[in-house]
Amino acid sequence: MTLINHERLKNLLIELIKIDSLSRKEYDVAMRLKREMEELGADVYIDDAGEKVGGNVGNLIAHFPGSVSSAPPLLLSAHMDTVVPGEGITPILDGDILRTDGRTVLGGDDKSGVAIICETLRVMRDNHIPCSPVDVVFTICEEAGLIGAKCLDASRLRARTGLVLDSDSVGFLFTKAPAANRMEFRVYGLEAHAGVCPERGINAIKVASDGIAQMNLGRIDSETTANIGVVEGGMAVNIVPNRVILRGEARSHSQEKLDRQTEHMRRCLEEAAERYTLELDGKRHSARVEAKIERDYDRMDVPESAPIVKLVHAAAKNLQLDVKTLATGGGCDANVLNQKGLVVANLSTGMREIHTVNEWLDLKDLNLSAQMVFEIVKLNAMQKIEA
Ligand SMILES: [Zn+2]
């Protein structure tokens, strides 16, 4: 027997899915959730992240006082924004399977996480179940590079540990995630008329291609991946192009391997540039590369011995469910929260085939995940704050 109200959970999820909330446009869904949180008895505030990232609303932070002050405060977090195409979503329910009409994503990423948190706290309140203080954080712009979470002032949270509900691997708790570097390379050549005097030009597209051809990309090893994802350049078919912009990334669970892979990609382009030189009217020209490399996010590495991991295992055991910890290749708000000194793992919600128009969700998975979160919150109230 569960206290989770499946009908209410489903209805809230569908209602939230129908509210458009692309990154930087989360205002409407934030207002709906503010109402929900206040109704449930939380102190709600919206931070200034929206102004910082050029969005129409900030992160929503809700403090639930809780009835058990001796238990450690718990963080529950999910993101409010969805990816494109994500406007005018028409959810279609076929038995227990929720999907779209094929024109948009479903937005179960991450409205499923949001709905689970709301339903859990409603059940706690309606049934007067002893509860620790809970901090809810609904972030903006997760899909735009975790920039909502990056703007979050963690000192305003009471909780030092908790869960992000934002994973598509049913039955798994993500405790490890890679660090990532974001790269932009500007490859410069020399412009010339392609028909009249091509010998007076250095083709930046060729230089870039040469460099890319030398790069190890894709899966580098079990911990490391790399990609060049965007190429922009050239003006016209009759102009030897003088500039190409490449955008790429590398990720690794090992900091050292990430540094090595990033350096490798930069070196490949620089070495290619060195191969293209030209003497023109007594002046020496050569291709060159400008690299802009930024840390996108740090790795997440929550140990098996962390109280939050133990709590999840204990909850799973109570429900006779099998939840395994796992490493993911993706980054999420949990990376940022761990970087800010919290201990946060990422639990699945039932969302599937995310970031595609085929995205779907099995309500049975959603319900199980909600039962898990409910059990976790319940068990957390029996913990004691460590001195
Ligand atoms: Zn997500």
Side-chain angles (χ1 to χ4, degrees), residues 19-36:
I19 304 174
D20 289 350
S21 62
L22 295 182
S23 302
R24 296 190 173 82
K25 296 179 182 171
E26 302 94 339
Y27 180 84
D28 291 344
V29 80
M31 289 307 111
R32 172 67 183 86
L33 292 169
K34 182 169 184 282
R35 210 173 77 216
E36 182 84 7

Side-chain angles (χ1 to χ4, degrees), residues 77-152:
S77 180
H79 64 89
M80 297 187 282
D81 62 318
T82 60
V83 293
V84 290
E87 284 175 302
I89 297 173
T90 309
I92 294 168
L93 190 59
D94 180 7
D96 278 335
I97 305 299
L98 192 59
R99 56 174 81 248
T100 72
D101 56 10
R103 291 182 307 113
T104 65
V105 297
L106 179 64
D109 176 10
D110 190 19
K111 302 274 173 67
S112 55
V114 172
I116 287 168
I117 291 171
C118 294
E119 172 62 21
T120 299
L121 294 169
R122 189 169 285 277
V123 171
M124 296 297 291
R125 192 200 61 158
D126 288 356
N127 297 281
H128 308 288
I129 295 166
C131 188
S132 72
V134 174
D135 291 339
V136 172
V137 176
F138 292 137
T139 58
I140 58 167
C141 292
E142 193 269 352
E143 305 287 7
L146 320 178
I147 55 179
K150 284 175 184 173
C151 291
L152 183 75

Side-chain angles (χ1 to χ4, degrees), residues 79 109 141-147 149-150 164 166-168 174 176-181 225 249-253 296-300 327-339 346 354-355:
H79 64 89
D109 176 10
C141 292
E142 193 269 352
E143 305 287 7
L146 320 178
I147 55 179
K150 284 175 184 173
V164 163
D166 185 20
S167 146
D168 57 353
F174 285 127
K176 294 183 197 314
N181 282 344
T225 58
E249 60 156 43
R251 306 179 187 205
S252 183
H253 291 277
D296 205 358
Y297 45 82
D298 278 331
R299 57 202 268 268
M300 151 164 106
T328 166
C332 73
D333 282 344
N335 290 59
V336 178
L337 293 167
N338 280 288
Q339 197 174 331
N346 180 2
I354 58 171
H355 296 203

Side-chain angles (χ1 to χ4, degrees), residues 170-231:
V170 171
F172 288 99
L173 177 72
F174 285 127
T175 51
K176 294 183 197 314
N181 282 344
R182 189 197 296 257
M183 306 167 213
E184 184 184 285
F185 300 106
R186 288 171 180 251
V187 181
Y188 294 95
L190 193 63
E191 202 166 72
H193 193 294
V196 178
C197 53
E199 49 282 287
R200 294 177 71 85
I202 297 175
N203 189 321
I205 292 178
K206 193 145 172 28
V207 179
S209 312
D210 247 29
I212 294 170
Q214 296 304 315
M215 276 181 206
N216 297 322
L217 295 173
R219 166 137 332 262
I220 308 300
D221 59 38
S222 63
E223 297 188 302
T224 314
T225 58
N227 190 43
I228 293 288
V230 176
V231 178

Side-chain angles (χ1 to χ4, degrees), residues 2 8 83 85 91 107 113 115 141 193 216 255 270 292 318 351 359:
T2 174
R8 187 171 59 197
V83 293
C141 292
H193 193 294
N216 297 322
Q255 187 58 53
E270 283 175 351
K292 201 169 96 191
N318 283 0
M351 59 171 101
E359 185 186 348

